[in-house]
Amino acid sequence: MKNLAFLLLGLMVMFSCTSQKETSTLKVPYSEAKNYFVKNTYQSNEIAIKKIASQKEFDEIFGAATTMGPNGMPTNIDFSKNYIIALIGTQTNKSTDFLVKNLVKEKENIVLSYAVKEESTENSYTILPAKILIVSKQYDGNIISNKL
């Protein structure tokens, strides 16, 4: 009887230590596309999060911005294997950057957590700030954004 009590006590301790809540959150790898700009024909009054799955759809919003130097060519995007998550800001005369804090898959959703960094100095020109994330289609899902 004493052995049975020790066995039950041992099992209870073991199961209480291993019964942690399982999460179905998976970190999603991505790369950033460089040397693209948002075309002036694009209009929005708020920050837009867009999922883009084709070159045609991408070309409607973005143009290539080739610069001189070894890293001057726009990043090649293979839409047969990848899709784009684009963060597009509103027109501003301040230097603005999107800081991606986290990109995870939760069930059938891709959750993008980001912050906006805006300089206080005003420029003599306006821009449409953007961040372009290249994501493998194996991590497909509905895009949900979380501004921090």
Side-chain angles (χ1 to χ4, degrees), residues 13 18 60 91 93 98:
V13 169
T18 60
E60 289 173 0
Q91 193 170 44
N93 64 347
F98 293 104

Side-chain angles (χ1 to χ4, degrees), residues 52-117:
I52 302 172
S54 71
Q55 185 70 52
K56 181 180 184 282
E57 192 178 358
F58 184 80
D59 291 341
E60 289 173 0
I61 299 171
F62 295 99
T66 304
T67 59
M68 297 196 51
N71 298 321
M73 294 299 294
T75 306
N76 185 37
I77 303 167
D78 183 354
F79 283 98
S80 67
K81 297 177 184 174
N82 304 299
Y83 68 93
I84 296 298
I85 299 174
L87 288 93
I88 306 170
T90 58
Q91 193 170 44
T92 181
N93 64 347
K94 296 179 180 178
S95 295
T96 305
D97 192 18
F98 293 104
L99 307 172
V100 176
K101 300 293 186 176
N102 206 8
L103 187 64
V104 295
K105 183 165 186 169
E106 294 179 354
K107 297 181 182 175
E108 60 276 339
N109 298 318
I110 304 296
V111 181
L112 170 66
S113 298
Y114 71 96
V116 180
K117 179 183 173 189

Side-chain angles (χ1 to χ4, degrees), residues 37-44 60-63 91 126-128:
F37 66 92
V38 180
K39 292 181 176 178
N40 289 336
T41 55
Y42 180 84
Q43 299 293 321
S44 180
E60 289 173 0
I61 299 171
F62 295 99
Q91 193 170 44
T126 60
I127 60 166
L128 282 167

